[in-house]
């Protein structure tokens, strides 16, 4: 059911299965549904299960109801479902974020994110020095010529805190022209 949306051609399904990535694909698809439902909570106050299913591209209102119920139970959204008319009413987060318990939870989350960031940086450094990884990436990476990159203009016009390249003749009259500066002049002034 979930896999139908992202892997319609059978050869893609077998490719994910063969690469041992089918579980990852299912997680990505489930996460996509959750994120799309969360976006609906930012736009609508009330929405039918049928509209949720159509917007999120689920197969049925029943499947939409299952996703919404799961998200409510996990605390991802705040909503009520009226079983009679199949309507979902999205609610505001009841947490006021003023209690000591909530501050501790936020602090714990920040500490966890910092640890994950450190771990990710370490893994990135290790991978960037791994000869087998660099060999594989080097083969797949396309080579660029110097001409493929945008050049930086050597002179710029400064207006307030904004820097505009070669715009002195198109400045609105309310801005004054302060002169031409090299980008290095701006750094060392």
């Amino acid at each position: 059911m979930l896999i139908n949306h992202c892997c319609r051609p059978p050869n893609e399904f077998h490719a994910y299965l063969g690469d041992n990535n089918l579980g990852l694909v299912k997680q990505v698809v489930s996460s996509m549904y959750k994120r799309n439902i969360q976006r609906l909570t930012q736009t609508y106050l009330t929405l039918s299960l049928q509209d949720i299913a159509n917007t999120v591209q689920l197969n049925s209102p029943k499947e939409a109801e299952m996703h919404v119920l799961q998200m409510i139970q996990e605390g991802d959204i705040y909503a009520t479902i009226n079983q009679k008319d199949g309507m979902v009413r999205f609610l505001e987060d009841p947490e006021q974020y003023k209690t000591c318990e909530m501050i501790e939870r936020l602090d714990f989350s920040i500490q966890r994110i910092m640890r994950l960031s450190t771990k990710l940086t370490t893994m990135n450094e290790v991978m960037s020095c791994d000869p087998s990884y660099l060999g594989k990436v080097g083969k797949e990476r396309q080579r660029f010529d110097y001409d493929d990159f945008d050049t930086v203009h050597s002179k710029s016009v400064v207006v307030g805190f904004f820097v505009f390249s070669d715009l002195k003749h198109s400045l609105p009259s309310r801005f004054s022209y302060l002169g031409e500066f090299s980008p290095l002049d701006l750094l060392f002034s």
Side-chain angles (χ1 to χ4, degrees), residues 3 11 36 42 82 110 114 154:
I3 202 68
N11 56 348
N36 288 338
Q42 296 169 1
N82 185 333
I110 291 169
M114 290 172 61
S154 61

PDB file of all heavy atoms in Angstrom, residues 3 11 36 42 82 110 114 154:
ATOM      1  N   ILE A   3       4.114   1.337  -0.493  1.00  0.00           N
ATOM      2  CA  ILE A   3       5.118   1.189  -1.540  1.00  0.00           C
ATOM      3  C   ILE A   3       4.545   1.468  -2.923  1.00  0.00           C
ATOM      4  O   ILE A   3       5.270   1.817  -3.828  1.00  0.00           O
ATOM      5  CB  ILE A   3       5.789  -0.203  -1.446  1.00  0.00           C
ATOM      6  CG1 ILE A   3       7.156  -0.211  -2.112  1.00  0.00           C
ATOM      7  CG2 ILE A   3       4.926  -1.261  -2.008  1.00  0.00           C
ATOM      8  CD1 ILE A   3       8.150   0.608  -1.392  1.00  0.00           C
ATOM      9  N   ASN A  11      10.352  -3.120 -11.486  1.00  0.00           N
ATOM     10  CA  ASN A  11      11.815  -3.214 -11.437  1.00  0.00           C
ATOM     11  C   ASN A  11      12.391  -2.317 -10.343  1.00  0.00           C
ATOM     12  O   ASN A  11      13.399  -2.640  -9.741  1.00  0.00           O
ATOM     13  CB  ASN A  11      12.437  -2.889 -12.792  1.00  0.00           C
ATOM     14  CG  ASN A  11      12.019  -1.531 -13.324  1.00  0.00           C
ATOM     15  OD1 ASN A  11      11.099  -0.904 -12.802  1.00  0.00           O
ATOM     16  ND2 ASN A  11      12.679  -1.082 -14.355  1.00  0.00           N
ATOM     17  N   ASN A  36       3.171  15.852   5.150  1.00  0.00           N
ATOM     18  CA  ASN A  36       2.102  16.483   4.372  1.00  0.00           C
ATOM     19  C   ASN A  36       0.859  16.724   5.223  1.00  0.00           C
ATOM     20  O   ASN A  36       0.190  17.746   5.066  1.00  0.00           O
ATOM     21  CB  ASN A  36       1.770  15.653   3.139  1.00  0.00           C
ATOM     22  CG  ASN A  36       2.857  15.740   2.090  1.00  0.00           C
ATOM     23  OD1 ASN A  36       3.633  16.683   2.073  1.00  0.00           O
ATOM     24  ND2 ASN A  36       2.918  14.759   1.221  1.00  0.00           N
ATOM     25  N   GLN A  42      -1.330  23.515   9.352  1.00  0.00           N
ATOM     26  CA  GLN A  42      -0.917  24.912   9.331  1.00  0.00           C
ATOM     27  C   GLN A  42      -1.827  25.766   8.451  1.00  0.00           C
ATOM     28  O   GLN A  42      -1.797  26.989   8.519  1.00  0.00           O
ATOM     29  CB  GLN A  42       0.527  25.020   8.839  1.00  0.00           C
ATOM     30  CG  GLN A  42       1.506  24.346   9.763  1.00  0.00           C
ATOM     31  CD  GLN A  42       2.890  24.217   9.151  1.00  0.00           C
ATOM     32  OE1 GLN A  42       3.126  24.648   8.039  1.00  0.00           O
ATOM     33  NE2 GLN A  42       3.801  23.619   9.903  1.00  0.00           N
ATOM     34  N   ASN A  82     -14.289  13.620  14.128  1.00  0.00           N
ATOM     35  CA  ASN A  82     -15.722  13.379  14.295  1.00  0.00           C
ATOM     36  C   ASN A  82     -16.071  12.181  13.420  1.00  0.00           C
ATOM     37  O   ASN A  82     -16.071  12.279  12.196  1.00  0.00           O
ATOM     38  CB  ASN A  82     -16.519  14.615  13.880  1.00  0.00           C
ATOM     39  CG  ASN A  82     -17.995  14.461  14.145  1.00  0.00           C
ATOM     40  OD1 ASN A  82     -18.536  13.358  14.168  1.00  0.00           O
ATOM     41  ND2 ASN A  82     -18.650  15.591  14.334  1.00  0.00           N
ATOM     42  N   ILE A 110      18.007  19.567  23.150  1.00  0.00           N
ATOM     43  CA  ILE A 110      19.132  20.362  22.637  1.00  0.00           C
ATOM     44  C   ILE A 110      20.441  19.609  22.829  1.00  0.00           C
ATOM     45  O   ILE A 110      21.278  19.554  21.921  1.00  0.00           O
ATOM     46  CB  ILE A 110      19.172  21.739  23.318  1.00  0.00           C
ATOM     47  CG1 ILE A 110      17.981  22.586  22.858  1.00  0.00           C
ATOM     48  CG2 ILE A 110      20.482  22.466  23.025  1.00  0.00           C
ATOM     49  CD1 ILE A 110      17.774  23.862  23.668  1.00  0.00           C
ATOM     50  N   MET A 114      22.989  18.267  19.916  1.00  0.00           N
ATOM     51  CA  MET A 114      24.413  18.626  19.898  1.00  0.00           C
ATOM     52  C   MET A 114      25.290  17.376  19.794  1.00  0.00           C
ATOM     53  O   MET A 114      26.287  17.367  19.067  1.00  0.00           O
ATOM     54  CB  MET A 114      24.757  19.452  21.138  1.00  0.00           C
ATOM     55  CG  MET A 114      24.147  20.850  21.089  1.00  0.00           C
ATOM     56  SD  MET A 114      24.314  21.794  22.619  1.00  0.00           S
ATOM     57  CE  MET A 114      26.076  21.899  22.808  1.00  0.00           C
ATOM     58  N   SER A 154      34.146  42.477  -9.523  1.00  0.00           N
ATOM     59  CA  SER A 154      35.210  43.071  -8.734  1.00  0.00           C
ATOM     60  C   SER A 154      34.786  44.372  -8.076  1.00  0.00           C
ATOM     61  O   SER A 154      35.401  44.821  -7.143  1.00  0.00           O
ATOM     62  CB  SER A 154      36.433  43.323  -9.626  1.00  0.00           C
ATOM     63  OG  SER A 154      36.080  44.218 -10.658  1.00  0.00           O
TER      64      SER A 154
END
